[in-house]
Amino acid sequence: MAVTAQRPEFADLLSLETIDRDIFRGSCHDGAPMRAFGGQVAAQAQIAAGRTVEPDRWMHSLHGYFLRPGRTDAPILYLVERIRDGRSFSTRRVSAVQNGETIFSMSASFQRPRDTAEEHQLKAPDVPLPETLRRWWGPIDEAPEYRPFLLIDVRSIPSGAEGAAHRPAFDPALAAADGMPRQNVWVRVDQPLPDDPLLHACALTYLSDLTLASTASLPYGAGPGRVDVVSLDHAMWFHRPFRADDWLLFAQDSPSVGGARGLSRGTFFTRDGQLVASAIQEAGLLRR
């Protein structure tokens, strides 16, 4: 009798084992060879923090620092400190520890949702719909072997993700008059996720780390002596409810590169133009 391989689940990438009160254990897949993918480390740290907070409080912000490269051949311990629980907000600090060293540190804040009359938002850019663009990787069912990134769908605007680089070449026209490199991509988890706001927030952090740092390196990434990027820190703000398994437009720019560091910013919009999250990341730019 033939055995059918079980379809992998994106939620499994963020699953953690409970070791003790406020102590959790996880493992990560490759980002670079033998280096844990930073977006997964940050997302697992969010999961750890969220498990110590009352379920009626949703994560609204996180600030994290990548301190050392994580490895894929050893587990990661997530140690949570309960900094404060107020009437509306809860604050947590998480340390991701591997082989006795802290590889990632994060502060996260949770809020009990509230409705207010005051509201405004940035307008979403006018871009082609994701169905008109080419995806970076094939669907998981068509993959000859399991790769975690096949569980997500990313489509560049304009579609220029060629070869192994998986990102568009720098287009001077996108820099506009202010000189900033820009890139816009549609992203989503390519399978239905459970109705858990924390899981969707963590999934979005995972997705944000795929392209945000590379925005700063777009003008310098082609030809001999190309620039590689290493994430230094990452911050997210979650403004409105959303689903990470629905299409989200990630509009990104880079206001500054200098001192071997590049700053990138991004905003996430739903298909109907709702601004649901913002992200900022600084990366080290390393020339080969």
Side-chain angles (χ1 to χ4, degrees), residues 11-30:
D12 292 340
L13 301 179
L14 309 185
S15 64
L16 297 177
E17 176 188 1
T18 301
I19 303 301
D20 203 338
R21 185 180 189 268
D22 301 344
I23 303 175
F24 308 90
R25 179 166 57 202
S27 59
C28 290
H29 64 71
D30 286 356

Side-chain angles (χ1 to χ4, degrees), residues 5 19 22 35 38 53 69 96 176 178 182 198 202 219 255:
I19 303 301
D22 301 344
R35 177 179 293 174
V53 174
D178 56 19
R182 289 177 166 83
L198 176 64
C202 297

Side-chain angles (χ1 to χ4, degrees), residues 2 32 68 75 103 177 191 204 215 227 230 234 253 270 287:
R68 295 178 177 87
I103 64 171
Q191 59 183 215
L204 195 62
T215 307
V227 168
V230 178
H234 196 102
D253 62 36
T270 61
R287 185 167 295 278

Side-chain angles (χ1 to χ4, degrees), residues 196-218:
D196 178 358
L198 176 64
L199 178 60
H200 287 266
C202 297
L204 195 62
T205 299
Y206 181 104
L207 293 171
S208 70
D209 197 42
L210 290 168
T211 61
L212 188 56
S214 69
T215 307
S217 68
L218 283 175

Side-chain angles (χ1 to χ4, degrees), residues 166-177:
H166 292 306
R167 65 187 188 194
F170 178 60
D171 182 354
L174 291 178

Side-chain angles (χ1 to χ4, degrees), residues 17 43-44 65 73-74 79 86-87 90 93 140 143 145 148 160 164 170 202 219 225 262 264 278:
E17 176 188 1
Q44 288 185 351
Y65 286 88
D73 58 356
L79 313 179
R87 289 184 297 177
S90 293
R93 182 180 297 121
I140 185 66
E145 59 186 13
F170 178 60
C202 297
S264 299
S278 300

